[in-house]
Amino acid sequence: MKRNKPQSVYIPKLDAEHGTIRQAAEDLHQALAAGGEKGDVRAVVHVLMQQINAHFASEERMMRSSAYPSYDWHKRQHDTMRKRMQECEGRADVGDHARVSELLEFFEAWLGDHTGLHDRMMSAYLRNFEREQRAS
Ligand SMILES: [Fe+2]
Ligand SMILES: [Fe+2]
């Protein structure tokens, strides 16, 4: 199955984090496809959640330290996804793999859109902010 290709946001740290998240999502597809021992799926969902949380936290830290004007809007999108992925973790705990799979598909589609638009807007601002800091 062909899934969204990672879109660069031209900030290596964030590109690397997006790549790690996509890899964990891919691992979850595989765990689900393998018929998933309940424990495997749970463990992989847990890793995915940790990576998502760490990544959202780094973007939010960067936006705050550069006074990004659309911070609230961007963070709200992260919050919505945090909630969905918490549901995903809960479903994995009870072995509801059909719902885990649905939420995974939803997450991947969201990540492609969010990265391609909102993260890119943010990173353009961040790069400009850095340049101005260096020049002053
Ligand atoms: Fe991101
Ligand atoms: Fe983001």
Side-chain angles (χ1 to χ4, degrees), residues 9 14 18 21 55-56 59 74 78 111 114-115 119 122:
V9 299
L14 297 181
H18 290 148
I21 289 172
H55 171 65
F56 285 177
E59 285 190 356
H74 197 129
H78 287 174
L111 187 66
H114 179 83
T115 304
D119 285 356
M122 171 197 69

Side-chain angles (χ1 to χ4, degrees), residues 56 59-60 74-82 114:
F56 285 177
E59 285 190 356
E60 287 163 15
H74 197 129
K75 180 172 182 296
R76 224 166 16 240
Q77 297 197 20
H78 287 174
D79 287 342
T80 302
M81 197 43 66
R82 281 180 175 109
H114 179 83

Side-chain angles (χ1 to χ4, degrees), residues 45-74:
V45 169
H46 187 66
V47 169
L48 178 61
M49 277 293 286
Q50 283 179 325
Q51 284 165 351
I52 292 170
N53 285 331
H55 171 65
F56 285 177
S58 32
E59 285 190 356
E60 287 163 15
R61 214 177 307 116
M62 289 164 94
M63 287 190 275
R64 279 196 304 272
S65 61
S66 63
Y68 183 53
S70 302
Y71 173 77
D72 287 346
W73 185 38
H74 197 129

